[in-house]
Amino acid sequence: MTELVAVDIGGTNARFTIATVKDNGAIELGEVVTLPTHAYASLRSAWEAFAEKLGRPLPKDGAISFAGPVDGAVLKLTNSPWVLRPALIPSMLGLDRYELVNDFGAVAYAVSRVGPEYLQHICGPDEPLGKEGAISIVGPGTGLGVAQLHRGHRGHITVITTEGGHIDFAPLDKLEDQILQRLRTRYRRVSVERIVAGPGLVNLYEALAAIEGRNVAPDIDDKELWKLALSGDDVLASAALDRFCLSLGSVAGDLALAHGAWNGTVIAGGVGVRIADHLPISGFSGRYTAKGRFEARMAQIPVKLITHPQPGLLGAATAFAEKHCR
């Protein structure tokens, strides 16, 4: 049995727990402690605060999920003053072994571990994800995360993190042609992340308003807009949500084709969980499968939504276990 500190670092909060990797490979997460990043000067300060709350010395192994690329000498969070220098992590945090993984790579690792109770069916055949081969993970949140999980022989897994959220947006009907035209006046290049991510709902809402000649409040808050869209109290917000789901289906299907992910697609991210009940009754499925000569094959791919409450922590611990506990 191996104990380790698992940390999921986002721009707003850092979540800590003690994870246990059992001799049979199973992973258990302890009580989760959430610390706001703005309240601590650095990861080391928050790490020490977690140790104080825990009331005992921390394990000498660690796993860190970080909201950003992890391949540089200096890592900086977008919305936080925290700076990480991977080479100094062992000495700064008192670790003998550690694993550092991108936050969406951590989600992919979590997908490899969760049981069916944490994979809500969205569309396609209602069957488990394939045991061998590629699976696409697509996560609308503050941005659009994309990763690929490959399951090999004897349970070996490989996670590939990508910047798939920055591929070009491709309109598929006349209304989307107009939406793209509107967004081009704001952005030099319109990537799918400009639409299929939390702030993307505002872009859709404002574009639809302009197309219909409606006046809308300037600088509308995307969180408030999401509430309106999901409640159905605002016709234009609801229309923007419908367009969001259509585009998410198109993008998820395109990525499955690009990845050769015949074993499944998993939707993740904070927005994914928020629209969990809406996706199955939206136009997501039709757009996901509408891939011309591959339509019949796309219809055979199970599409799930990961509902685990702490995929970042589970994924970080899994990344550590895959490297150090096999």
Side-chain angles (χ1 to χ4, degrees):
M1 185 177 73
T2 301
E3 273 195 337
L4 62 137
V5 181
V7 191
D8 181 18
I9 304 173
T12 303
N13 294 307
R15 297 173 177 86
F16 291 77
T17 193
I18 300 298
T20 303
V21 183
K22 297 188 174 181
D23 291 340
N24 63 1
I27 295 175
E28 290 186 357
L29 302 181
E31 181 181 354
V32 177
V33 173
T34 301
L35 302 177
T37 55
H38 69 80
Y40 298 90
S42 64
L43 172 59
R44 182 177 181 179
S45 296
W47 191 279
E48 291 173 354
F50 173 61
E52 185 176 346
K53 289 178 182 292
L54 196 64
R56 69 174 177 88
L58 296 181
K60 294 294 186 179
D61 291 328
I64 301 170
S65 167
F66 182 82
V70 296
D71 55 354
V74 179
L75 313 180
K76 174 104 172 44
L77 286 168
T78 302
N79 299 314
S80 168
W82 286 15
V83 173
L84 270 67
R85 294 175 175 81
L88 300 180
I89 285 177
S91 60
M92 295 290 287
L93 303 181
L95 297 176
D96 293 332
R97 300 182 298 177
Y98 81 97
E99 194 65 19
L100 178 63
V101 62
N102 164 267
D103 61 334
F104 210 72
V107 174
Y109 276 109
V111 168
S112 76
R113 287 285 182 140
V114 296
E117 69 274 18
Y118 291 119
L119 290 170
Q120 177 180 325
H121 183 67
I122 299 298
C123 64
D126 191 358
E127 59 188 38
L129 300 172
K131 293 183 178 180
E132 291 187 9
I135 297 169
S136 290
I137 297 95
V138 184
T142 304
L144 180 64
V146 177
Q148 182 182 15
L149 167 66
H150 188 274
R151 286 173 164 162
H153 295 294
R154 298 180 180 178
H156 179 73
I157 65 170
T158 300
V159 167
I160 302 172
T161 57
T162 81
E163 292 299 337
H166 297 284
I167 60 176
D168 290 315
F169 171 66
L172 294 177
D173 58 30
K174 291 183 178 180
L175 182 55
E176 288 181 355
D177 286 336
Q178 295 179 73
I179 291 171
L180 177 59
Q181 184 179 5
R182 294 284 176 179
L183 292 182
R184 277 179 174 161
T185 65
R186 180 179 302 176
Y187 306 110
R188 185 171 64 87
R189 175 177 174 271
V190 181
S191 66
V192 293
E193 188 175 76
R194 298 297 189 185
I195 293 171
V196 187
L201 192 70
V202 173
N203 286 334
L204 287 168
Y205 181 78
E206 292 178 344
L208 291 174
I211 290 167
E212 293 190 10
R214 298 192 186 199
N215 292 320
V216 296
D219 300 323
I220 185 169
D221 180 71
D222 68 291
K223 293 181 180 178
E224 290 301 318
L225 185 61
W226 274 104
K227 291 179 182 177
L228 285 173
L230 291 167
S231 69
D233 293 337
D234 183 292
V235 174
L236 198 61
S238 295
L241 176 58
D242 289 339
R243 280 286 146 183
F244 182 96
C245 292
L246 286 169
S247 294
L248 177 58
S250 297
V251 172
D254 284 347
L255 290 167
L257 276 176
H259 292 164
W262 314 124
N263 291 276
T265 293
V266 176
I267 305 300
V271 173
V273 173
R274 188 180 296 178
I275 60 176
D277 294 331
H278 189 79
L279 273 181
I281 59 175
S282 72
F284 174 92
S285 177
R287 280 286 189 89
Y288 180 86
T289 58
K291 303 301 175 188
R293 288 169 290 175
F294 279 83
E295 186 165 353
R297 187 158 191 183
M298 295 298 294
Q300 298 173 8
I301 300 175
V303 180
K304 310 289 185 180
L305 175 86
I306 184 169
T307 60
H308 192 280
Q310 299 293 344
L313 291 173
L314 176 61
T318 300
F320 179 92
E322 285 293 317
K323 184 173 181 179
H324 300 285
C325 302
R326 291 185 67 85

